[in-house]
Amino acid sequence: MKYPKEYLDEIKNRLKVSTVVSKTVSLKKRGKEFVGLSPFKNEKTPSFTVNDEKEFYHCFATSEHGNIFDFVMKTQNLKFGEAVKYLAQLAGMQPYMFSKQDEEREKKWNEYKSIFSHYIDFYHNELLKNENYSIARDYLKNRSLGKDEVKKFKIGYIEKNPNFFEKLNKDYNEQTLVETGLFYLDEKKKIYVERFRGRLIFPINNISGQPIALGGRIIEDLDYLAKYINSPETNFFKKGSNLYNLDVARKLSNKIDHIYLVEGYMDVVGLSKNGVDNAVANLGTSLTDKQILTLNQFFDDIIICFDGDESGYKAALRAAENSIKELKPEKQISFLFLPEGEDPDSFVNKNDKNYFLDFVKQNKVLIHKFIFDHYNNQTDKTPSSMAIFEKKLREIANTIKDNFIRKYVLEYFLEEIAGLTPHLNKNKRQIFSKKTKSLKLTQKYFNESKSLSHIEVKEISFLYLILTNLEIVRENLHLIQNVKLFTNENKLVFELIFSKFQSDEKFTMEDLNIDDQLIDRIYKFASIKHIINKQKNSAEKILLLLEEILRDLKNYELEARIEELESKFAKDLSESTFNEIKELKELKKLKNIN
C-alpha cells in the first residue's frame, strides 16, 4: 500500500533538508544554500549543496539529486518504507500503520479537512461581502486591520444565530460534524449550536497549511463570555502540538534565524501587518515541550513575548521553566517583556516595526538570566531563603536534557549566587573563576568542534590517550613507532612526545615543552576522553582503545594514498600506478574484513 501524500508532506514540512543531511554531512552556510563534502564520493573540495527553500540536495561530483527520502535511502541503504519510518521518528511523528483502522482514519481525515475548508471559506467570504457584518468590519478597522490582513489570515466572522450546520448536514452526518468541534448539542433545546457564534474566527492550520481548528474572539465587551476560545481537542487537533501561523512562519527560516512566540492570534496578525511575519502563537495552553522542539527544527532563536501584565509575566515564567529543558548549544531562548498594559499587537501599532525591533535588541533577556532574576527577587537574603533559592535553581538546571547546557547553566546559577553571598561562597567562587563564565562558550565549543575534520578528532583522541597514560604507552612503545599524523599541530605534539619517549627517561606532562594552547585543544576536543576516564586503572582496556584508534589512523593513511595515486593516474595513465592502486584497494578490503 502507498503512504498517503499528506503523511509524507507532513514529514517534509517538519524536517528541513539541511537538518536531515547534517546528520551525515558537515554543512556550512553559503548564501541561501549549505555546502559540504559529498557523501557519495571521497573529495577534498565541497561539491555537495543543500537548498532548504527548494527542498532538495545536489551533488555536482556524482549528479546525485533528490529530497530527504532519496538522501536517507541512498546514504543508509534503506528501502523507501524504512526511510519513511526513520524520518517520521526524526520528525516526532507516529509511524504510519497500514490497517483497516488506518484506512478509516484516512477517510475521516479527508472529511474533517473538507468540513473545515467549507466552514472557513463560507464565513470568510461573509465577512468580506455580507453587508450585515459591518459590526465585525468596524471592529477590525478600529484594531487597524483591513481587507489585506483579513484575506492573508482568512479571518471570518460568525453571526450570533447562524444555521450553517443544516447546510453541512446535507453532505455529512451529525457525528462527523460534532467530531470536528465546530458544533455541540444544546441539551435543552435539542439543537446543534455553532461553538464560535458571535465571534471573529482565526483558522489554525497544521504545518502543511491545512485547517484543523479555529480560534475565536468576541468583538463586544461581554464579561460573561471568554474573550478568546479555541477548538476543543479532536482526533486531528492537539493544542500542545500546534502553533498558530507556523505553516507560514516556517517558510521564512531560510532567511531569518529567530521567531517570536506570542500569546494571541491578534498579536500575530498585528505584527504581520507591520512587517514582522516571523511570529507564531500558542493556543491558549501553557507552552509545551513539543512546541519548543517544533520551533527548534526551524529556528535557532526563540523570542517569547507575552503581554506586559501580571498574567503575561506568570505565563512567561511557566514557559521558561518548561522550555529550558529543551535548550541546546546551537539554540537560544529569550524573553521580551513589554511595558505594562501593552501586548505585541498594540505595541507595534503604536510605535512601528523599527522601534519594535530596536526594543527587542535592547530588552530581550536570555532564559537562564530571566529564571535567575525571578527567583532572586523572591528571596529576602536570609540563609533559609537563599537555601530554597539555590535548591530551586539546581532543580531547574537538572531538568535540562543536553549535558553541555546543563553544566553551564548550573555554573551560571552558582556563580551568581556566589556573588550574592561572597563570604559563604569564597571557595566556590575561586573554583568557578577558573571555569567558563558564559553560555556563549558552549556555542563556541559547538562551532569549533564542527570545524574539526574526522581525522583531526581521531588524532586528538590518540594524543589524549597517550598524554593521560604515559607509563602504559612507554611499555608498549612499539605500537606507535610508525604512526603517521596528517595535521600540523597534532604532528608537532606527537613528535615532541615521541622524542621524549626515545630519550629513555621518565617524564610527566609538566616536562613536555608543548604550547599550553595545543594541550588545551587536545583536552577540549578529545572525543574519547569520557571512555578513557572510566578505564584509568585498566591497562588492557587502554591498549585495546589504542589499537582501535591506530587501525583508524592506518585506514585513513591508506585512503589518502589511494586518493593521491588516483589523482596521479588521471594525469599519467601509468600501468604501475594503476597496479599500486589495485593492490592498496585489495589491502584495504582485507583490513575491513579482518
Side-chain angles (χ1 to χ4, degrees), residues 372-402:
F372 179 88
D373 290 345
H374 169 78
Y375 284 105
N376 183 27
N377 292 334
Q378 308 300 307
T379 69
D380 55 15
K381 303 302 182 286
T382 61
S384 178
S385 70
M386 292 303 292
I388 294 169
F389 176 37
E390 180 172 334
K391 182 181 177 184
K392 180 66 177 178
L393 293 181
R394 283 181 179 275
E395 288 172 353
I396 291 171
N398 285 332
T399 66
I400 299 171
K401 296 175 184 176
D402 183 271

Side-chain angles (χ1 to χ4, degrees), residues 455 458-459 462-463 466 473 476-486 490-491 494-495 498 546-547 549-554 557:
I455 192 61
K458 191 62 69 175
E459 289 176 352
F462 170 65
L463 294 172
I466 295 174
V473 175
N476 297 273
L477 198 58
H478 63 283
L479 293 175
I480 65 169
Q481 274 181 329
N482 298 313
V483 174
K484 181 179 179 181
L485 301 189
F486 292 84
N490 297 333
K491 194 185 297 185
F494 179 61
E495 286 171 357
F498 196 75
L546 177 60
E547 287 172 5
I549 292 175
L550 290 172
R551 273 197 303 272
D552 289 342
L553 292 174
K554 287 286 183 186
E557 183 182 351

Side-chain angles (χ1 to χ4, degrees), residues 77-90:
N77 195 26
L78 298 177
K79 294 179 180 177
F80 180 70
E82 295 170 326
V84 172
K85 287 178 183 176
Y86 167 80
L87 290 169
Q89 184 179 24
L90 191 61

Side-chain angles (χ1 to χ4, degrees), residues 54-107:
K54 296 178 181 176
E55 299 184 343
F56 68 71
Y57 66 87
H58 183 81
C59 177
F60 289 94
T62 63
S63 297
E64 291 284 357
H65 179 97
N67 59 25
I68 54 175
F69 299 103
D70 300 315
F71 182 82
V72 170
M73 288 166 67
K74 288 171 182 174
T75 57
Q76 299 189 29
N77 195 26
L78 298 177
K79 294 179 180 177
F80 180 70
E82 295 170 326
V84 172
K85 287 178 183 176
Y86 167 80
L87 290 169
Q89 184 179 24
L90 191 61
M93 294 168 58
Q94 291 296 318
Y96 192 85
M97 306 298 291
F98 294 103
S99 66
K100 287 185 179 179
Q101 191 176 5
D102 290 303
E103 288 179 28
E104 184 62 30
R105 179 181 170 84
E106 187 69 17
K107 180 185 173 185

Side-chain angles (χ1 to χ4, degrees), residues 431-484:
I431 292 168
F432 286 119
S433 65
K434 298 175 187 176
K435 297 186 178 181
T436 310
K437 292 190 175 183
S438 171
L439 284 174
K440 289 182 180 177
L441 286 185
T442 305
Q443 178 72 56
K444 184 181 176 185
Y445 172 89
F446 177 79
N447 291 335
E448 288 176 354
S449 62
K450 276 182 73 175
S451 69
L452 295 175
S453 67
H454 170 72
I455 192 61
E456 282 181 284
V457 174
K458 191 62 69 175
E459 289 176 352
I460 286 170
S461 288
F462 170 65
L463 294 172
Y464 179 87
L465 186 148
I466 295 174
L467 290 171
T468 53
N469 296 276
L470 290 171
E471 285 309 307
I472 295 174
V473 175
R474 179 195 298 281
E475 292 169 9
N476 297 273
L477 198 58
H478 63 283
L479 293 175
I480 65 169
Q481 274 181 329
N482 298 313
V483 174
K484 181 179 179 181

